[in-house]
Amino acid sequence: MTDAFVHISAESTSVLHAAREVAEIEEVTSAHVVTGEYDVIAQIELNDLDDLPHVVAEKIQNAPPVEGTVTSVAYEAE
């Protein structure tokens, strides 16, 4: 299982809408409106890391009104 965090920039008047749209994506386990450099942070859970480009590029980046993303893959610190 792989977790990743997607930092999302959205149209300034539609941040809450972007969070709601992203939260509806099957692989997204949570989506939060945040303060700071990004507007929304979404956590995704994948069975296969190879699915990451598809989920981010084709699902999250195409969700209206998402304007851009930066993705961080999470690794266990063991």
Side-chain angles (χ1 to χ4, degrees), residues 46-76:
L46 303 169
N47 290 323
D48 187 345
L49 185 58
D50 290 338
D51 293 335
L52 184 64
H54 168 73
V55 172
V56 174
E58 296 180 22
K59 293 185 176 184
I60 294 176
Q61 289 181 351
N62 284 328
V66 171
E67 292 184 329
T69 63
V70 173
T71 304
S72 301
V73 176
Y75 295 95
E76 291 293 326

Side-chain angles (χ1 to χ4, degrees), residues 1-56:
M1 190 71 61
T2 300
D3 286 322
F5 294 89
V6 183
H7 308 268
I8 300 166
S9 298
E11 295 173 13
S12 62
T13 59
S14 302
V15 173
L16 188 55
H17 177 67
R20 289 178 179 154
E21 289 290 322
V22 168
E24 293 296 319
I25 296 170
E26 178 182 352
E27 295 85 356
V28 173
T29 58
S30 65
H32 302 276
V33 174
V34 296
T35 60
E37 185 175 350
Y38 299 100
D39 302 306
V40 177
I41 296 179
Q43 183 174 1
I44 59 177
E45 191 173 277
L46 303 169
N47 290 323
D48 187 345
L49 185 58
D50 290 338
D51 293 335
L52 184 64
H54 168 73
V55 172
V56 174

